[in-house]
């Protein structure tokens, strides 16, 4: 009887420590943050004042918030294109044996390397590459007679966001390629052979077998990419701190600036709540799509 | 007309030669089974025919046309894989029609061909199901259906029944045999199971270490194996192989002396379990053995006899025998049923 009871409660005992940590450091603070967003308060004063949804009204009326949201959305869309679509295609090409094993390993390593660099290093490296006139990009443009295309890449409102987004793609696409390669290699090779015998070209094999074969991985990686795009903070903060003139502001930097620079913590909590609900919605879509499988 | 000829076909992977100068002819509407132990090169040979492996040397000729450089899809062949190779995200109908869709066939033709194949294979109620909702046997039928809709010149089967349980394998064997008659098609079938080979084949090709050991009808291979390898491989249970010595006129062995004239020297005697008789009636020689194990299968039984000289003999007995382990038995073997293999393994008689 005692052994039976132990067997029943044993799984809960194993789960309890991690559940306790999750509640303490994730769910409770998230809930507390929502409560904070209903108050006007400062991190340097004890008093706080209940303002209801005022922080949200102010947030939705803020041009910076909408600009940040659009930037996050742009970040997500471009990340999906590079880190999901391009990564899948490149992974399929590498796995398909178009290159010999030596060249394939070289490409895989070369694509993967940026992902192991710290974001600060990447940010500083690309600041140098983007330097006007003396940076690598401008040097290349000048060398090829395309100086008319030269920009102050991180200093102009028109180019700054795309410039930072492309750095992120440079850093993470290789990582996604490796993950997709693993997923593609798990597809049985006789499916490809069977389709080859049916007369399918490599492109048809890609669409008939590879794409459906990695559907689940694609879905999860796409969701992770979107999560990352709406939570992004570090690369923006290192490279532009949201500038110039809030042109590269994202929700993460807007929240950080509100909390720790402008000391409007209730407002920052409202931004955090919005980020939470956006990622929650994306997560719900993921669960729904996976259930459909 | 669908005939296939391999001339001195060779396959090398780097320095490793898997198939060496192999010659084979498969005639129109023939059911040829390639059989041999794992790693003997039979699947590689099938893949060379299919176009999934390059032929390093030699020629593959189908209906008079050299096919070495022709891509797999244009050889007019269809292959059924061991794992079925069904596309998991497609329905049965989509799996069967994928080749036709790739070829750009019109919808009506596709529907007709899929319906016809589904009728032949009794897959009509399952056309909208996905592979995961099918049993092993049904999946195998879909894989065969996919081959049928292409109306190929030659069907290739790569161990198609090895993932099925014993009962289903028997049923599918019968269905394949019926299918061969119904389609009147040329079929090349790879298996390591000699029972499948014996029951399905018009002719069997026994392979070993990348070479052909013997080609013949099931009866020829069973009654007149060319060498020790074929003798040991074909037949279940295996042929009894007993070390012996010939003095030129008489062969002396643990199972008796036989007045068989072959060259002097070491030889191996081959005796099928069913030719050994209990007691002595009209026999050339008798010998005694100690029963070690008895297996009763219902319609027949097998007794394993220790006849001395570290020789264990399998004897087939009718029905559920009353003979028990531990008994001593007199056995006799008609001399005309004894096969003799020389020191090099080739059959002498």
């Amino acid at each position: 009887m005692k052994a039976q009871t132990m067997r029943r409660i044993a799984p809960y005992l194993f789960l309890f420590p991690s559940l306790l940590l999750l509640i303490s450091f994730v769910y409770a603070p998230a809930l507390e943050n929502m409560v904070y967003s209903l108050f006007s308060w400062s991190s340097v004063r004890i008093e706080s004042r209940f303002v209801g949804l005022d922080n949200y009204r102010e947030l939705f009326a803020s041009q910076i918030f909408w600009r940040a949201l659009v930037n996050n959305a742009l970040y997500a869309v471009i990340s999906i294109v590079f880190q999901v679509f391009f990564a899948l295609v490149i992974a399929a090409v590498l796995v398909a044996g178009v290159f010999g094993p030596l060249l394939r390993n070289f490409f895989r390593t070369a694509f993967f390397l940026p992902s192991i660099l710290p974001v600060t290093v990447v940010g500083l490296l690309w600041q140098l590459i983007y330097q006007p006139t003396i940076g690598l990009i401008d040097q290349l443009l000048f060398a090829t007679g395309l100086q008319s295309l030269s920009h102050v890449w991180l200093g102009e409102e028109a180019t700054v966001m795309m410039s930072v987004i492309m750095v992120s793609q440079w850093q993470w696409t290789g990582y996604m390629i490796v993950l997709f390669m693993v997923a593609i290699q798990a597809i049985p090779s006789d499916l490809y052979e069977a389709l080859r015998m049916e007369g399918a070209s490599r492109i048809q094999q890609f669409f008939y077998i590879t794409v459906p074969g990695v559907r689940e991985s694609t879905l999860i990686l796409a969701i992770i990419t979107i999560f990352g795009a709406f939570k992004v903070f570090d690369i923006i903060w290192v490279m532009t701190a949201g500038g110039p003139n809030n042109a590269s502001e994202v929700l993460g930097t807007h929240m950080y600036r509100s909390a720790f620079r402008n000391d409007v913590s209730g407002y920052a909590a409202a931004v955090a709540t919005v980020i939470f609900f956006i990622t929650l919605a994306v997560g719900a879509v993921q669960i729904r799509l996976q259930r459909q499988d | 007309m669908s005939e296939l000829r391999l001339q001195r076909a060779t396959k090398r992977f780097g320095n490793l030669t898997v198939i060496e100068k192999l010659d084979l002819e498969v005639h129109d509407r023939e059911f040829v089974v390639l059989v041999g132990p794992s790693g003997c090169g039979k699947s590689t040979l099938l893949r060379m025919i299919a176009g999934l492996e390059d032929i390093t040397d030699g020629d593959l000729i189908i209906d008079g046309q050299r096919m070495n450089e022709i891509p797999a899809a244009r050889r007019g062949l269809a292959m059924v894989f061991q794992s079925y190779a069904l596309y998991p995200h497609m329905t049965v109908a989509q799996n069967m029609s994928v080749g036709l869709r790739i070829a750009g066939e019109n919808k009506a033709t596709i529907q007709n061909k899929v319906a016809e194949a589904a009728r032949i294979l009794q897959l009509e109620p399952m056309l909208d199901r996905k592979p995961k909702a099918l049993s092993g046997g049904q999946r195998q039928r879909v894989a065969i259906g996919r081959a049928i809709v292409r109306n190929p010149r030659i069907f290739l089967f790569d161990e198609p029944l090895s993932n099925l349980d014993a009962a289903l394998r028997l049923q599918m064997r019968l269905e394949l045999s019926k299918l061969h008659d119904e389609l009147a098609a040329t079929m090349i079938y790879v298996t390591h199971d000699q029972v499948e080979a014996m029951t399905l084949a018009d002719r069997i090709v026994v392979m070993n270490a990348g070479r052909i050991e013997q080609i013949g009808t099931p009866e020829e291979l069973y009654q007149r194996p060319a060498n020790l390898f074929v003798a040991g491989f074909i037949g279940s249970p295996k042929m009894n192989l007993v070390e012996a010595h010939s003095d030129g006129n008489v062969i002396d062995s643990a199972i008796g002396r036989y007045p068989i004239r072959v060259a002097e020297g070491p030889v191996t005697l081959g005796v099928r379990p069913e030719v050994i008789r209990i007691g002595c009636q009209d026999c050339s020689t008798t010998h005694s053995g100690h029963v070690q194990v008895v297996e009763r299968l219902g319609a027949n039984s097998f007794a394993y006899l220790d006849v001395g000289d570290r020789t264990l003999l399998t004897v087939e007995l009718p029905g559920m025998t009353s003979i028990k382990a531990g008994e001593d038995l007199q056995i006799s073997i008609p001399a005309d049923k004894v096969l003799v293999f020389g020191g090099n393994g080739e059959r002498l008689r």
Side-chain angles (χ1 to χ4, degrees):
Chain A
M1 181 63 192
K2 200 178 169 194
Q4 208 174 15
T5 312
M6 267 309 289
R7 242 199 324 271
R8 218 175 10 237
I9 64 167
Y12 298 101
L13 290 176
F14 280 108
L15 288 174
F16 182 71
S18 54
L19 197 65
L20 189 70
L21 288 171
L22 268 175
I23 290 171
S24 306
F25 295 105
V26 179
Y27 299 122
L31 211 63
E32 208 176 2
N33 176 74
M34 286 180 210
V35 176
Y36 286 157
S37 72
L38 304 175
F39 288 82
S40 172
W41 58 288
S42 159
S43 53
V44 293
R45 276 194 296 272
I46 299 169
E47 314 87 63
S48 60
R49 184 168 52 89
F50 180 76
V51 293
L53 295 175
D54 278 2
N55 284 327
Y56 291 95
R57 280 188 205 101
E58 191 185 339
L59 179 70
F60 293 127
S62 160
Q63 278 194 339
I64 298 174
F65 166 75
W66 289 111
R67 191 160 194 175
L69 194 62
V70 169
N71 281 342
N72 278 114
L74 185 67
Y75 200 112
V77 170
I78 293 175
S79 295
I80 290 286
V81 171
F82 277 84
Q83 294 176 40
V84 178
F85 292 120
F86 288 172
L88 176 58
V89 171
I90 294 168
V93 170
L94 290 178
V95 173
V98 177
F99 304 106
L102 204 69
L103 212 54
R104 185 179 67 173
N105 288 343
F106 166 76
F107 280 128
R108 191 177 53 186
T109 311
F111 286 136
F112 184 73
L113 266 179
S115 70
I116 61 171
L117 297 175
V119 172
T120 42
V121 172
V122 171
L124 292 172
L125 173 75
W126 278 88
Q127 272 183 338
L128 291 174
I129 293 171
Y130 280 136
Q131 278 280 330
T133 317
I134 58 164
L136 185 65
I137 291 178
D138 271 11
Q139 287 285 313
L140 279 172
L141 290 175
F142 283 116
T144 51
L146 297 169
Q147 54 267 41
S148 59
L149 297 176
S150 170
H151 285 279
V152 183
W153 299 100
L154 299 176
E156 292 178 27
E157 285 186 38
T159 55
V160 64
M161 196 60 215
M162 280 303 290
S163 301
V164 180
I165 289 174
M166 290 320 290
V167 174
S168 230
Q169 309 320 310
W170 174 84
Q171 185 172 21
W172 295 113
T173 302
Y175 182 72
M176 295 302 216
I177 288 172
V178 173
L179 293 182
F180 272 124
M181 283 178 79
V182 173
I184 293 170
Q185 278 162 345
I187 298 173
S189 60
D190 51 12
L191 292 186
Y192 288 98
E193 289 178 341
L195 206 62
R196 247 175 81 194
M197 291 205 65
E198 303 275 7
S201 65
R202 279 188 191 273
I203 292 171
Q204 284 170 320
Q205 289 173 37
F206 176 76
F207 284 109
Y208 275 99
I209 299 174
T210 309
V211 173
V214 298
R215 187 178 183 277
E216 199 139 303
S217 303
T218 308
L219 181 64
I220 290 166
L221 294 178
I223 297 294
I224 289 172
T225 304
I226 296 171
F227 278 155
F230 278 96
K231 294 193 303 183
V232 66
F233 170 76
D234 45 13
I235 190 71
I236 308 272
W237 197 253
V238 168
M239 291 189 74
T240 65
N245 198 22
N246 301 115
S248 60
E249 202 78 76
V250 288
L251 291 174
T253 54
H254 187 45
M255 176 184 69
Y256 182 84
R257 195 188 312 282
S258 304
F260 301 111
R261 296 286 162 92
N262 302 341
D263 196 23
V264 280
S265 296
Y267 178 89
V271 178
T273 304
V274 168
I275 297 173
F276 175 77
F277 277 106
I278 288 171
T279 49
L280 191 72
V282 174
V285 170
Q286 176 198 3
I287 290 167
R288 202 181 170 80
L289 288 173
Q290 273 182 324
R291 276 200 191 141
Q292 278 177 2
D293 279 350
Chain B
M1 271 291 281
S2 296
E3 289 185 335
L4 178 144
R5 212 162 65 237
L6 282 159
Q7 293 172 333
R8 300 176 72 78
T10 300
K11 178 66 189 175
R12 286 187 211 100
F13 292 105
N15 291 328
L16 180 72
T17 302
V18 181
I19 304 281
E20 177 131 43
K21 293 178 183 164
L22 185 141
D23 293 303
L24 175 66
E25 267 188 61
V26 177
H27 308 301
D28 188 35
R29 300 180 184 194
E30 196 175 23
F31 199 131
V32 168
V33 176
L34 309 180
V35 69
S38 294
C40 71
K42 55 191 187 299
S43 283
T44 304
L45 183 63
L46 196 76
R47 291 168 61 81
M48 288 160 69
I49 294 169
L52 297 173
E53 295 286 354
D54 293 332
I55 298 169
T56 313
D57 216 344
D59 297 316
L60 166 67
I61 293 157
I62 298 175
D63 292 342
Q65 188 189 358
R66 189 174 184 273
M67 288 286 174
N68 291 44
E69 277 78 41
I70 306 287
R74 296 222 305 270
R75 294 186 183 191
L77 311 174
M79 182 152 159
V80 177
F81 291 79
Q82 181 178 357
S83 64
Y84 321 129
L86 299 182
Y87 311 115
H89 54 284
M90 294 184 197
T91 63
V92 168
Q94 287 167 336
N95 260 286
M96 285 164 66
S97 64
V98 66
L100 301 176
R101 284 185 280 139
I102 287 168
E105 289 275 5
N106 66 56
K107 258 189 174 174
T109 310
I110 292 173
Q111 268 178 354
N112 288 341
K113 286 189 173 179
V114 169
E116 175 62 9
R119 184 195 61 75
I120 293 170
L121 295 162
Q122 293 150 19
L123 284 169
E124 282 144 321
M126 296 153 214
L127 285 173
D128 293 326
R129 288 197 211 160
K130 288 196 174 165
K132 67 181 173 193
L134 302 176
S135 68
Q138 289 166 341
R139 287 179 200 181
Q140 191 53 266
R141 289 217 292 271
V142 177
I144 295 167
R146 192 168 64 190
I148 290 175
V149 295
R150 294 190 61 208
N151 192 23
R153 292 200 275 201
I154 299 172
F155 285 84
L156 308 176
F157 295 90
D158 188 7
E159 307 212 28
L161 307 186
S162 55
N163 287 348
L164 304 178
D165 62 45
L168 209 50
R169 212 172 332 173
L170 174 69
Q171 187 195 329
M172 285 303 295
R173 240 170 35 212
L174 296 174
E175 288 189 24
L176 275 173
S177 198
K178 268 167 48 189
L179 192 69
H180 177 238
D181 292 340
E182 193 170 341
L183 298 176
T186 308
M187 293 182 172
I188 303 176
Y189 186 104
V190 161
T191 181
H192 63 270
D193 181 347
Q194 52 93 20
V195 177
E196 269 174 40
M198 294 291 283
T199 51
L200 285 170
D202 294 325
R203 278 193 308 148
I204 297 174
V205 179
V206 182
M207 290 186 67
N208 182 32
R211 289 178 294 107
I212 291 176
E213 296 283 352
Q214 188 175 2
I215 302 175
T217 63
E219 194 199 350
E220 279 168 359
L221 263 58
Y222 191 78
Q223 303 291 1
R224 295 181 294 281
N227 53 42
L228 277 172
F229 179 84
V230 179
F233 195 82
I234 297 291
S236 178
K238 281 172 67 168
M239 178 185 277
N240 294 295
L241 297 171
V242 180
E243 298 297 318
H245 189 272
S246 164
D247 64 6
N249 295 312
V250 174
I251 294 175
D252 192 18
S253 74
I255 54 171
R257 286 168 62 81
Y258 295 90
I260 298 171
R261 300 180 71 158
V262 293
E264 193 182 334
V267 293
T268 303
L269 300 184
V271 182
R272 292 281 178 203
E274 67 272 18
V275 305
I276 302 173
R277 293 177 191 161
I278 304 300
C280 179
Q281 306 141 358
D282 187 25
C283 48
S284 313
T285 181
T286 61
H287 205 77
S288 66
H290 186 71
V291 179
Q292 291 211 324
V293 178
V294 179
E295 290 176 343
R296 294 175 184 85
L297 305 180
N300 55 1
S301 304
F302 294 103
Y304 297 89
L305 262 64
D306 181 354
V307 290
D309 209 12
R310 288 184 297 174
T311 303
L312 198 65
L313 217 57
T314 310
V315 180
E316 186 176 340
L317 304 162
M320 298 282 271
T321 182
S322 58
I323 292 168
K324 293 186 182 65
E327 286 181 24
D328 285 323
L329 283 185
Q330 285 285 317
I331 57 164
S332 60
I333 302 166
D336 63 331
K337 301 286 187 189
V338 175
L339 303 179
V340 183
F341 299 91
N344 60 0
E346 298 297 314
R347 184 165 59 83
L348 304 172
R349 173 186 179 272

